[in-house]
Amino acid sequence: MTDDFAPLNELDGPGEANRNVAELARLFPDAVVDGTVDLEVLRDLLGEDAASTATEGFGLRWPGMAAARRLSTLPATMTLLPKPDESVDWEGTRNIVIEGDNLEVLRLLRRAYTNSVDVIYIDPPYNTGNDFVYDDKRVATHAEHEAEVGLRDEDGALQAGSGSDRAEERKTGASLHSKWLSMMYPRLLVAHHLLKETGVIIVAIDDTEHARLKLLVDRIFGAENFVANLIWQGGRKNDSRYVSVGHDYMLVYAKNEATMRRQEVRWREPRAADETTREAAQRAWDDSGQDPARATVSMKKWIASLPEGHPAKDNNRFYEFEPDGRVYRKRDVSWPGGGGPRYDVPHPVTKLPVKVPSRGWIYSKQERMQHDIDAGLIVWGKDHTEFINRKTFLDSDEGVVPTSVFERKRTSASKSLANLLDSDVFPYPKDVDVLARWINLATRATPDSLVLDFFAGSGTTGNALMNLNSSDDGSRRYILVQLDEAVEHSDYVTIADITRERLRRAGKQTIGRRDPDQPVIDTGFRSYRLAESNVKPWDGTGELDLIGDVDNLAAGRTSEDLLVEVMLRLGIDLVTPVSAREVANNTLYSLAGTLYAFFGMDVTIDMADEIAKAIVDWRDEEPVDSDITVVVRDTGFRDSSAKLNLAAALQQAGIKTMRSI
């Protein structure tokens, strides 16, 4: 007879190879035999849409691509250790900072955060020709690269001599491009899993890898989901020989642009000088004795008096007053670029259809046009022979579409961080205001968004979210991942130390700027560090030697450490509330009433009864609508009878999902 506590290591998650094969078996059972995929059968079942391996196709290719792709499908084998002592407001915060290699961390997060992230912003290391810290143990030497591309034979002899047109720097450059792409590829593949269907990814890059990165992200996210190629002009370089290249790019992609379009997602931001214009409009309204015609004349005179280039003059020259004092601007109602729909819109007086713009209507559905008519947002001509316009009110939140090119000096970000940390410790940080602007555009419809940055650097993304939440009382939260890369500084050992300290100081600075009567915002974070699994050994695929190990827990680890690993394996958000009670001389954990975990040792039959009763009583006190899972330590029982006794008691109480670690 066996117990019902299935080992956690037998589980798999989305995007992992075993789950991928299982999905194929579900869709195409004839193509999967004994867990092995028959590619020829699968190709037959897919029909003409399946290309053979010999088919030539357009796209990015490089030596090592297949190996890099496989890295994304491997299950995580490590864990995260909680570090409350280096955190801020551990119990109350929903922000997370993780120190460790980001590929393994992303694989760890995949089970809990698939289809959960609203925005991913990353500023990966640019390909400067220096050694990469992120090598994934897959870095090719120049000789290995030459062998992969056919320049060396099986004996290692170079097949391109001094007479070849492949200069040394070209060979070196090719291997460096391959190395960089192999670093980015698996990380972006896992990142794709994490994004929501309405999610957005923003990737910063410079000229060196921009073209290849664009093709790589096209491959992963789909060229049809490309949103924009932002150009950030950061300053002038007067020592350049030919052209001052002071810009970077930010590639923006949607997870599913079609879904965003169906949900009428539009990015808008406040117009420049709107506040100045509102103040001028109020003066015109008051000075006119609240007469719309006189106020409109006064407003036009004010706009005409502004110097050329003034944003208020450029944006607001067509504003007029309503009888109630609201100020609006007439907007075109034609489809940008042409090809819009054409349908009848009757004039309210003549009842005849008004003139349809040559480019068609801006609204694809007539119902949307009728909505604006009913809301009084349409400006009619004297009869149906004139074009109509749409009102945009100065006090509305419609805003203006952001442009793809913007200017912001980079030196301000460096000075700001140096002032915050009292030290010029981190060169070339990103600008808080720039990140806040673009993250805000992508999250305005979702004020409780989750933002991920897995090349966190100094922590600019976390700082930007604090500023955003402070400005609009939002509840956006972040997950930041930074490698434990060493720095030469007396106060910091790694870049991750800088990340955490910046967030601590930025949080205090944010709190200091807010009035006591304002809502409290989250300025804390939970700190975790990547480490080997708490359980020995866990290779992600094989079974643990649960009987052979009297204690299968790694030395020095705590039950809190083990609880985090259970959460990662079961796909539970790391900020899920945890409650604890003392039961059978140990701790019983409850995670929002959906998971109960007990990691005590030497459990007897009587203790098993006590544990089962405590779990059932707690469940009845705090009932939940979802299924309940119970996790125990596999080596924690004095004998199999105690374990069987606990399983039977739980099953009798209606708890069917039981796991062991």
Side-chain angles (χ1 to χ4, degrees):
M1 182 177 178
T2 60
D3 62 77
D4 290 274
F5 290 91
L8 274 176
N9 63 293
E10 294 180 356
L11 297 175
D12 52 46
E16 296 174 12
N18 288 343
R19 177 72 65 86
N20 294 341
V21 172
E23 284 296 302
L24 282 175
R26 183 179 65 83
L27 294 171
F28 310 105
D30 195 36
V32 181
V33 180
D34 295 330
T36 301
V37 180
D38 189 321
L39 295 180
E40 290 301 322
V41 173
L42 182 60
R43 188 173 291 113
D44 290 340
L45 293 171
L46 293 175
E48 296 179 356
D49 291 333
S52 69
T53 55
T55 300
E56 293 184 359
F58 178 82
L60 182 65
R61 298 287 189 278
W62 70 92
M65 180 179 180
R69 183 191 300 116
R70 285 192 291 271
L71 288 175
S72 72
T73 68
L74 297 177
T77 62
M78 302 179 75
T79 191
L80 300 179
L81 298 182
K83 298 293 180 181
D85 57 314
E86 59 188 29
S87 306
V88 176
D89 188 20
W90 176 274
E91 294 297 337
T93 187
R94 300 177 72 238
N95 299 315
I96 296 171
V97 177
I98 302 171
E99 178 176 340
D101 175 74
N102 55 11
L103 178 55
E104 179 68 5
V105 170
L106 288 171
R107 290 188 295 219
L108 277 169
L109 297 178
R110 180 161 47 189
R111 295 188 184 183
Y113 297 96
T114 288
N115 297 324
S116 297
V117 176
D118 294 280
V119 177
I120 295 176
Y121 171 85
I122 55 172
D123 180 19
Y126 294 172
N127 192 355
T128 60
N130 299 321
D131 289 338
F132 286 108
V133 180
Y134 300 90
D135 63 10
D136 304 327
K137 303 296 185 291
R138 295 295 192 279
V139 177
T141 65
H142 296 326
E144 290 169 338
H145 171 76
E146 289 165 345
E148 285 194 76
V149 298
L151 295 176
R152 291 183 183 271
D153 61 20
E154 59 186 9
D155 297 321
L158 186 63
Q159 298 301 300
S162 58
S164 167
D165 64 353
R166 294 182 60 83
E168 183 63 29
E169 60 269 21
R170 291 180 64 193
K171 292 186 291 182
T172 301
S175 62
L176 287 174
H177 291 312
S178 297
K179 179 180 173 183
W180 190 87
L181 289 167
S182 291
M183 182 273 293
M184 291 296 297
Y185 191 25
R187 290 164 172 81
L188 289 172
L189 283 169
V190 182
H192 185 268
H193 278 281
L194 301 180
L195 270 182
K196 289 181 178 177
E197 285 300 297
T198 54
V200 172
I201 184 169
I202 305 172
V203 187
I205 197 63
D206 68 350
D207 276 320
T208 305
E209 293 296 348
H210 176 266
R212 278 167 285 272
L213 178 65
K214 176 69 168 60
L215 289 173
L216 180 64
V217 186
D218 277 349
R219 181 185 186 94
I220 297 169
F221 285 81
E224 69 277 8
N225 292 312
F226 173 69
V227 172
N229 182 30
L230 307 179
I231 301 174
W232 174 0
Q233 177 61 42
R236 183 181 296 275
K237 299 178 180 179
N238 285 323
D239 58 346
S240 297
R241 182 179 295 273
Y242 305 111
V243 176
S244 172
V245 181
H247 67 271
D248 279 343
Y249 303 95
M250 293 197 295
L251 289 171
V252 185
Y253 282 76
K255 172 74 171 286
N256 191 327
E257 195 275 334
T259 297
M260 293 174 63
R261 184 179 294 270
R262 284 194 299 271
Q263 295 186 8
E264 294 288 339
V265 174
R266 296 177 184 271
W267 290 7
R268 299 292 184 270
E269 59 186 348
R271 297 175 183 275
D274 269 4
E275 187 58 37
T276 302
T277 306
R278 279 192 286 268
E279 293 173 357
Q282 187 61 50
R283 287 195 302 271
W285 182 250
D286 294 339
D287 293 345
S288 70
Q290 300 185 352
D291 181 281
R294 291 176 57 194
T296 297
V297 172
S298 178
M299 189 69 177
K300 288 181 178 179
K301 286 181 179 179
W302 173 76
I303 292 173
S305 71
L306 297 174
E308 292 299 325
H310 193 289
K313 187 166 189 172
D314 293 339
N315 292 336
N316 305 321
R317 62 182 60 173
F318 300 115
Y319 275 117
E320 300 181 26
F321 284 80
E322 291 273 57
D324 63 358
R326 294 187 74 192
V327 185
Y328 68 89
R329 181 168 61 93
K330 295 178 182 178
R331 267 184 59 187
D332 187 12
V333 288
S334 63
W335 191 278
R342 309 179 73 84
Y343 44 79
D344 289 346
V345 177
H347 191 275
V349 176
T350 67
K351 309 302 181 184
L352 296 174
V354 300
K355 295 176 66 174
V356 179
S358 60
R359 297 184 299 186
W361 297 116
I362 192 172
Y363 301 132
S364 57
K365 295 182 179 179
Q366 192 168 0
E367 291 81 0
R368 176 61 195 279
M369 176 68 80
Q370 188 60 47
H371 173 273
D372 281 3
I373 294 172
D374 295 340
L377 296 177
I378 297 301
V379 181
W380 302 96
K382 65 178 184 297
D383 58 33
H384 61 276
T385 63
E386 296 184 357
F387 289 110
I388 65 173
N389 291 281
R390 184 182 184 276
K391 298 176 183 178
T392 296
F393 286 97
L394 184 59
D395 59 1
S396 74
D397 59 359
E398 289 187 4
V400 65
V401 180
T403 58
S404 60
V405 180
F406 63 95
E407 186 171 353
R408 172 83 174 185
K409 298 295 184 184
R410 300 187 188 283
T411 52
S412 60
S414 298
K415 291 177 182 177
S416 177
L417 181 60
N419 290 335
L420 182 65
L421 296 178
D422 300 319
S423 174
D424 190 12
V425 65
F426 193 90
Y428 314 117
K430 286 300 181 186
D431 191 285
V432 171
D433 292 336
V434 170
L435 266 63
R437 176 195 180 194
W438 291 102
I439 292 173
N440 186 41
L441 282 164
T443 63
R444 288 187 72 184
T446 318
D448 59 347
S449 299
L450 173 59
V451 179
L452 169 65
D453 181 351
F454 51 89
F455 289 100
S458 67
T460 306
T461 300
N463 199 158
L465 286 186
M466 274 190 265
N467 289 355
L468 278 177
N469 289 337
S470 180
S471 67
D472 63 7
D473 297 331
S475 55
R476 304 169 189 85
R477 64 180 180 124
Y478 60 76
I479 299 176
L480 306 185
V481 185
Q482 175 54 43
L483 185 69
D484 53 345
E485 183 178 352
V487 293
E488 296 181 3
H489 195 276
S490 58
D491 296 329
Y492 307 102
V493 177
T494 67
I495 292 178
D497 289 332
I498 299 173
T499 309
R500 289 185 288 263
E501 183 59 22
R502 177 191 188 151
L503 295 172
R504 293 186 193 104
R505 297 194 183 198
K508 292 178 181 178
Q509 190 179 75
T510 301
I511 294 172
R513 289 195 299 258
R514 291 176 64 81
D515 294 331
D517 57 345
Q518 287 183 289
V520 176
I521 64 169
D522 187 355
T523 57
F525 63 88
R526 288 189 176 191
S527 179
Y528 295 86
R529 297 201 184 199
L530 186 67
E532 296 297 325
S533 172
N534 296 291
V535 182
K536 52 179 186 183
W538 179 40
D539 63 5
T541 55
E543 294 188 5
L544 300 174
D545 182 10
L546 298 176
I547 297 177
D549 283 348
V550 175
D551 183 0
N552 62 327
L553 197 63
R557 302 293 172 84
T558 67
S559 58
E560 286 77 14
D561 297 336
L562 195 55
L563 181 64
V564 170
E565 184 158 354
V566 167
M567 294 170 71
L568 291 167
R569 294 199 199 181
L570 289 176
I572 298 174
D573 193 329
L574 289 174
V575 297
T576 300
V578 178
S579 302
R581 293 180 180 179
E582 289 300 309
V583 176
N585 302 320
N586 216 295
T587 304
L588 174 64
Y589 298 97
S590 170
L591 280 76
T594 61
L595 171 70
Y596 293 89
F598 185 86
F599 304 127
M601 294 290 290
D602 201 29
V603 175
T604 64
I605 291 178
D606 290 340
M607 293 168 66
D609 289 337
E610 182 182 350
I611 296 165
K613 184 178 186 305
I615 292 173
V616 173
D617 289 346
W618 203 344
R619 177 202 63 181
D620 294 342
E621 291 173 23
E622 301 174 3
V624 294
D625 294 332
S626 58
D627 292 335
I628 294 174
T629 298
V630 174
V631 179
V632 298
R633 195 161 159 185
D634 198 85
T635 58
F637 295 86
R638 181 172 296 182
D639 51 42
S640 59
S641 297
K643 192 174 182 182
L644 287 168
N645 206 58
L646 178 59
L650 292 173
Q651 286 182 336
Q652 188 174 6
I655 299 174
K656 307 297 183 184
T657 306
M658 294 170 278
R659 299 283 181 182
S660 65
I661 187 168

